[in-house]
Amino acid sequence: MTRVVGQPVIRSDAWRKVTGASYYTVDVTLPAMLVGKLLRSPYAHARIVHMDISRARQVPGVAAVVAGNGRASPWGGHIWDQPVLPADVVRYRGEPLVAVAAESEAAAEEALRLVEVVYEALPSVFDPEQAMEPGAPLLHPQMMEYWRNEAVCRPIPGTNAVNRTRFRVGSVTTGFSEAAAVVEATFTVPGIEHVTLEPTAAVAWWERDDRLTVWTSTQCPFVVRDQLAHVVGLPLHKVRVIVPDVGGGFGGKGNMRIEPYAALLSRECHRPVKMVHSRYEEFVGSTIGHPAKIRIKLGATRDGVLTAIQTTAFYDTGAYGDSGEMVSWQGGLGGAGPYRVPHVAIDSYAVYTNKVPAGAFRGMGWPQMLFAIESAIDMLSARLQIDPVEFRLKNLLENGDRFVTGEVLESVTLRECLLKAREAIDWDAPTPPNRGRGVALVMKSSVNNSTASAVVKIHEDTTVQLVIGAPEIGQGSHSAMAQIAAEILGVAYDAVEVTNPDTAFSPYDRGAISDRTTFHLGQAVYEAATQARQQLLAAAADWLEANPADLEICEGYVMVKGVPARTAPLAAVARRAYRVKGGPIIGEGRHLEEGIVPLDPLTGQSPKAVSHYKYGAQAVEVEVDRELGMVKVLRVVSVHDCGRAINPIQVSGQIEGAVVQGLGLALWEALQFEDGQVMNPSLMDYHVPMAPEIPEIVPILVECPHPHSPFGVKGIGEPGIIGVAPAVANAVSRAVGIRIFDLPLAPERVLRALQATQGRAR
Amino acid sequence: MFPNPFDYYAPETCDDVYALLHEHGYDAKVIAGGQSLLPMMKLRLAAPEVLVDVNNVADLRTMAVSDTGLRLGALTRHAEMERAQWPDYPLLSATAGHIADPIVRNRGTMGGSLAHADPAADWGAALLALDARVTLADAARSREVRLDDFFVDTFTTVLEPTELLTAIVIPAPPRESRPFGQYLKLERKVGDFAVVGVAVTASLDDAGRVVTAGIGLASVGPRPLKAQAAEALLVGQTLSPAVIREAAEAASQAADPVSDRRGSAEYKRTMVRVFVERGLAKIQADWELVNRASA
């Protein structure tokens, strides 16, 4: 039995958020602070022939102008392919070229207007498949010379493919020869924007003695610190990254963004420089979710047993890798879906094109991949005239099955999730005309090399400081971490204060990404709290003259088990520890998943590819207006195995939020490109889901404890977005008999498909 | 973003407005609700040197119903129409609720919307369907212009720079008939401009025959359109499925859409047909309901 863990406590930042007391990076104001602005490339691909910034420097109020990469090293996620400010070539429309810091926004903009640049346009390429053809313009001819992390970034020399991840199991030739039915289809997913409520923002202050302090809206303070130190050439102890409250990330704030520009400007003038993206800049100059083109060939026996799958995925990563290599790596893992398939061939590519870089986005390649897989599964089940749920139940992964990596899976709950989804959506009930229900399975891998650490300090009054390096980005992790600490320490939930990250004081953490905080950092917090508890009990043991092993903490007291008379108030124990014994009570915890083995480059085989996998199922009911082509989602049932809910309300909240984002991908969201230019870079023209459009969402939690995590938790931040789009597409297919291969399911696209099947309605 | 500098006047009488417009001509813009003009000024798509704010002119806030029709002052806010219950003009409240969002509706004015002449605006289509006229006045004269003659092109009307749109006049439905109205709008998202907007109104006699009919179209041409051929097809007919289909087809032929990010021309034309059909079918259903109730 747990006391705090599992309780629907109110999140610790609720009051701040609701009353407007939250303090974001845009709220940071320092004396003598300047405003920074960027000049962005109007060309998708061009050589910089000549640049003159002298007139910009003369604008009154301008304090610094920086251009060219002479004083900043190239950087990247798993490949260092990106100049901070390119000196020779620009590779996408919107790429920053010149940064200006000035007393006012008007002065900064005037200075940018006076920068003279002469470009020589270069041939460009915008489609990832075309970009892989021989003779396509190369964005990075020197790609093989860049530093890279070979475990997840394997470029194909002489091409635009920055990564290929391959999986080979059995022989697909054999597999397809055993199949009674085979479906083949190509699916496309558009690029989408994260649309965080708080845009990218940073304040940098480079003091005269070369100490750099940066306040920033990021998911990964230590990653930003490392990347900043690398590009400006400072040791880590001279770079301090502080993270105030963060208004959303969704993967868009996992790497350095606007921070280096603010830092380079501040280096010039030693005054603090604040930079905030406009919403327009968020669309054209941050990162986006990957557009993808995915080909699937899938075969099964007459009885509906899958025999083979061949998957080729092209993730369009834009001008720079950012996290694209990792997206194609993770998405590739999903290339056979959550199914038991004896013969598998998967090739997953990340390909450079002359577009805004695509990077991490909630789901990391899996939403695109499972849109294709789960659509193809329904196509094949229809071909075989087998109920889609039954077809999945026959083929889904179970405990002890081998994954495409060859690893044996544990704690798999796909069957349970799907059965719950089937029941909750009332799968077998008849539907009126033009209505239909659809399902899709959910699976997601978590990130590797995910170091986490935590410090628990118990103050003299037994209130607790939990010091961690993972930011609260809206997902509620601070509250979950406080619950874990409070549970172990035997104190009240609100006696634990979680500090926002500051790399000068917080212990190292990989960041708030990939569903990793509760799973990985949770283990570190668990260990740190356990250690602090032991110190507290040791202090009490001395006082109560008992063996620490015989002590327990209960409702504010330390007591000797079974001897109610021998107790000491917790606060008195803590005070005594400080005043009599003279030492602070500080526990430390750390976690790094062990035993991860890089994938075999040719076959993708590994005894342990990632720390853990997450499982779930989505079911939706839709109604299609045949005349307008409008798809209305009436209900979403979203079932996920979170292992153990530290806070059930927040788990449901994460699922609901992710499902809404999934509905956006299914029905509305798409960045429209013309010659590499984003044509709908505003919230007027880019349609994020709005409150009146959201149907009933029913989150259902399955709690199958993970064998190796604190209280059995599994990650839950991402899975909710995965599987929504294919469930909707499958439901539309069952409602009106059309198959949509391209997202989103926009009215005009649906209407065209309807007209194609029926001939014109009239 | 900030607008360019401008001079600001807030006169209290029409005569003072006329005098200012006479003095400043093309350099001046009249501002009422400011829901279109101010964003344009902030984006520097418009940079008037003089703003003449007419919100204090009481004469522009009048509303008068008579046997011959409804006369609405130019300052009539969208929200007032949303709340108004005039049984003889059901299309007005049916349309107003579709305009943008509540904030815009509280501030934006009918006269401002018409004078701005955005082809996507909802009032243009609705008031064309109602066969409305507008009163245009300057110091020397006042003239009444049919709305169909008022709209010239995108953001262009016959309004002279010295003139003020003072009122909208909507003719009363014919006696011995009952008016119905429907506004149908396809929008990409809540509060967005129309991808396609269709206003349909008809007055039906006791036998269900159409005495007058009006069909206005938004966002499918360089200006708001009146589907006159379709209207003519309806007059004297009962709204049978065949008649409805024919009129809807005619209305879709009257549309002159262009392909853009909101949809292809073909899709928009199809939507006009579907919406006119749905609007007329709803009118017929409403008439049947009323007729059954009174029988």
Side-chain angles (χ1 to χ4, degrees), chain A residues 359-409:
Chain A
F361 196 110
R362 194 179 211 166
M364 212 65 185
W366 284 80
Q368 296 96 320
M369 187 60 94
L370 289 199
F371 168 64
I373 301 272
E374 286 301 274
S375 297
I377 286 281
D378 257 43
M379 291 167 69
L380 189 52
S381 73
R383 181 81 58 84
L384 292 164
Q385 294 181 310
I386 301 174
D387 175 83
V389 173
E390 292 300 331
F391 190 58
R392 285 177 171 81
L393 288 172
K394 216 180 264 267
N395 291 289
L396 50 72
L397 291 166
E398 310 254 21
N399 270 333
D401 279 339
R402 282 188 186 278
F403 193 43
V404 292
T405 53
E407 69 198 293
V408 177
L409 297 170

Side-chain angles (χ1 to χ4, degrees), chain B residues 91 114 117-131 146-154 183 196-200 214-231 250-258 268-269 272 276:
Chain B
L91 183 57
L114 294 178
D118 188 326
D122 303 297
W123 279 139
L127 292 166
L128 278 172
L130 289 167
D131 214 12
R146 285 187 65 228
L147 201 54
D148 203 22
D149 299 326
F150 174 74
F151 292 124
V152 176
D153 205 338
T154 306
Y183 192 78
V196 168
V198 170
V200 186
I215 298 175
L217 311 175
S219 269
V220 287
R223 44 156 281 183
L225 299 175
K226 188 168 170 63
Q228 279 161 331
E231 292 172 351
S252 78
Q253 291 312 311
D256 183 19
V258 291
K268 291 179 186 177
R269 197 183 289 281
V272 169
V276 171

Side-chain angles (χ1 to χ4, degrees), chain A residues 279-284 671-672 677-686:
Chain A
R279 188 57 68 181
Y280 168 78
E281 287 178 297
E282 287 287 276
F283 280 96
V284 305
L671 289 164
Q672 297 166 332
Q677 184 166 7
V678 180
M679 300 306 286
N680 53 344
S682 76
L683 292 181
M684 179 90 146
D685 293 310
Y686 179 88

Side-chain angles (χ1 to χ4, degrees), chain A residues 221-222 241-244 468-472 478 499-503 506:
Chain A
F222 286 90
V241 173
I242 300 171
V243 187
I468 54 175
E472 166 66 61
H478 275 13
T499 52
N500 276 341
D502 177 337
T503 59
S506 310

